[in-house]
Amino acid sequence: MAELILPRFICDEIVAHARQGAPEEVCGILSGQGHVAMGLYRARNVAPSRFIDYVVDDQTLLRQFEFEERGQSMVAIYHSHTESPAFPSATDARQAYYPDSAYIICSLQRPERPVIRAFRLIQGSPQRLDREQIPSDATPVRGNSSFLARYVGDGHCGRYDLYTLSPEQEAEWLPCHVYEVAILIV
């Protein structure tokens, strides 16, 4: 998906949802066909730390069956960043379970000028490695010493290298490729 077509009412609804939910992050899913969004489903954010994270509730995810019966699919998942740019975080990359969907981020970093951007987040296969193989520039995510990350690339395309340490200090590496998707508002 190189481009995502969003009707103006969907963009407006994403921004309205983000503003209404602030300072917590909000989330939802978009249905559509191909790369054209047609419907928006607000979700409940059930993440334990809703001020810095999001998890779409199961009931909203189950709505996919409804729109799949109409020949549509989940074309995007959206969420807000209330204090950071419209760019996927390492946590967003770690939770990117839908490689065929775009991930839309609505940033309210400047509330008077919300920014909406879309990305494809495609995880590779996890690999075990020795703790010593973790690059020195991988840093703890949100102070969590068992989850480290580094980003290689620019603000449009790149890769997150995500490292998870078990209590036994075994390490796992998960690459997640980040590709910006152009948004066309109609």
Side-chain angles (χ1 to χ4, degrees):
M1 176 186 309
E3 178 180 80
L4 178 63
I5 298 174
L6 295 179
R8 167 62 62 193
F9 81 89
I10 287 181
C11 283
D12 293 345
E13 180 64 19
I14 291 171
V15 171
H17 191 192
R19 285 179 168 155
Q20 289 167 3
E24 293 182 357
E25 291 191 6
V26 301
C27 54
I29 61 176
L30 303 183
S31 65
Q33 291 179 320
H35 60 278
V36 180
M38 300 167 139
L40 180 143
Y41 300 83
R42 284 187 177 198
R44 282 186 317 107
N45 182 354
V46 294
S49 303
R50 292 184 302 273
F51 291 98
I52 59 172
D53 200 4
Y54 81 98
V55 174
V56 176
D57 68 281
D58 291 341
Q59 292 301 321
T60 302
L61 289 173
L62 289 173
R63 306 255 345 238
Q64 292 178 74
F65 293 114
E66 293 173 24
F67 53 77
E68 286 174 355
E69 288 178 9
R70 297 189 306 265
Q72 297 181 5
S73 62
M74 184 169 63
V75 297
I77 300 167
Y78 74 88
H79 75 283
S80 61
H81 282 183
T82 58
E83 295 183 4
S84 59
F87 191 80
S89 67
T91 304
D92 295 338
R94 184 183 199 184
Q95 297 176 170
Y97 305 123
Y98 296 91
D100 295 331
S101 297
Y103 287 84
I104 297 173
I105 301 170
C106 176
S107 172
L108 296 179
Q109 189 174 28
R110 294 180 57 197
E112 71 284 358
R113 296 191 65 189
V115 174
I116 295 178
R117 293 174 70 192
F119 298 87
R120 291 283 309 279
L121 302 175
I122 302 172
Q123 293 180 350
S125 298
Q127 298 177 20
R128 295 248 179 244
L129 49 91
D130 293 327
R131 181 180 170 83
E132 297 77 35
Q133 292 176 283
I134 297 174
S136 60
D137 61 342
T139 58
V141 176
R142 299 180 183 151
N144 183 350
S145 60
S146 64
F147 177 41
L148 299 98
R150 71 176 183 163
Y151 181 77
V152 180
D154 60 25
H156 303 284
C157 180
R159 184 188 75 235
Y160 270 108
D161 290 323
L162 307 171
Y163 302 94
T164 306
L165 295 172
S166 71
E168 297 79 28
Q169 297 300 303
E170 295 173 347
E172 181 178 87
W173 168 61
L174 176 68
C176 183
H177 297 276
V178 177
Y179 305 99
E180 185 161 15
V181 174
I183 296 177
L184 178 61
I185 301 172
V186 296

